[in-house]
Amino acid sequence: MRLMRWAPVLGLGLLAGCSAVKSHRVRPDYAQVDRKQTKRLVVVAQPLPDEKPAVGELWSLIARQWVNQNRDFIVKDNVALPGRPTDTTFKELCTEGVEGVLWLDPTIQLKGDGAEAEVKAQLLRCSDGEEVWAAQAAGSWGSRDEDYAARVQKFSQELGEEVAPYIVPTTKLLAATLDTLPNPELTEADKDEKIELGE
């Protein structure tokens, strides 16, 4: 009987212990401010993961597509830039029609037939550079997973074969990280704009 009472608690503990996400936070005034104002984003991966432009492009592209498909943000573009950012408000990316920058600060190293990956992610408001959301996550994953075979083929054709071993670990890490993002509120016009993105 005692075992039955502890089983659910143990299960929750094991699940929590295995989570890739180490921490995440959202502004306390998100519902009042950014939920209706910070909807149109650009994704930037900087510095380049493993110092490879194609892998940086992979990270920013996976993030853009995941957010467009799983959240109500309208992600208009994605970029990958070398070196550490000198301006972490990313004013140069805050062009007309962009309200926020989703910054990925990635680290990934191939190990054996997989990779160890880590990301610090922030959603920054364009109007004043303030943080809206942030998360940190890390983990190790194999590069082969039958459930991701079509995705590996697609991104390898699009970005080159060198990205192939990075695709599965990057996708799993970013999905876990970005799943902690809040959801903005879209107007009917916003919804039409999002549909036009086609992602």
Side-chain angles (χ1 to χ4, degrees):
M1 198 65 179
R2 185 173 291 160
L3 181 62
M4 293 301 287
R5 266 185 289 174
W6 281 100
V9 177
L10 273 173
L12 285 173
L14 289 171
L15 284 173
C18 296
S19 174
V21 178
K22 307 306 176 196
S23 66
H24 65 94
R25 60 185 177 267
V26 179
R27 288 184 69 87
D29 61 357
Y30 179 80
Q32 295 78 30
V33 181
D34 294 285
R35 188 165 65 98
K36 293 185 178 183
Q37 294 177 13
T38 310
K39 300 180 272 193
R40 290 165 185 79
L41 311 179
V42 170
V43 175
V44 59
Q46 187 178 18
L48 297 174
D50 219 5
E51 299 181 2
K52 296 179 179 174
V55 180
E57 187 70 18
L58 175 75
W59 276 67
S60 66
L61 181 59
I62 287 173
R64 185 193 88 204
Q65 291 180 350
W66 192 96
V67 174
N68 275 334
Q69 291 165 7
N70 296 280
R71 289 294 182 272
D72 289 334
F73 291 102
I74 300 165
V75 186
K76 299 169 96 52
D77 201 6
N78 62 285
V79 295
L81 301 171
R84 302 284 327 158
T86 53
D87 173 14
T88 56
T89 63
F90 294 96
K91 285 293 178 198
E92 73 280 4
L93 297 177
C94 290
T95 55
E96 188 177 345
V98 175
E99 298 152 353
V101 174
L102 177 56
W103 174 29
L104 307 175
D105 181 348
T107 307
I108 190 165
Q109 284 189 313
L110 297 181
K111 295 273 175 88
D113 59 358
E116 290 179 1
E118 181 179 354
V119 68
K120 295 174 189 160
Q122 277 185 301
L123 175 55
L124 303 158
R125 192 190 294 147
C126 277
S127 61
D128 57 9
E130 287 290 309
E131 179 189 285
V132 175
W133 161 91
Q136 266 190 279
S140 300
W141 294 271
S143 292
R144 295 171 190 269
D145 187 322
E146 283 306 309
D147 294 339
Y148 292 78
R151 175 177 287 267
V152 170
Q153 183 178 9
K154 176 181 175 287
F155 286 130
S156 296
Q157 286 173 347
E158 197 172 325
L159 301 171
E161 282 300 320
E162 73 169 321
V163 305
Y166 297 91
I167 295 168
V168 174
T170 301
T171 302
K172 290 182 176 182
L173 176 65
L174 288 178
T177 307
L178 299 171
D179 198 42
T180 68
L181 267 171
N183 233 344
E185 184 178 314
L186 300 184
T187 64
E188 288 305 313
D190 294 337
K191 290 174 186 174
D192 291 341
E193 184 182 345
K194 187 168 175 69
I195 289 166
E196 284 173 20
L197 281 176
E199 283 191 337

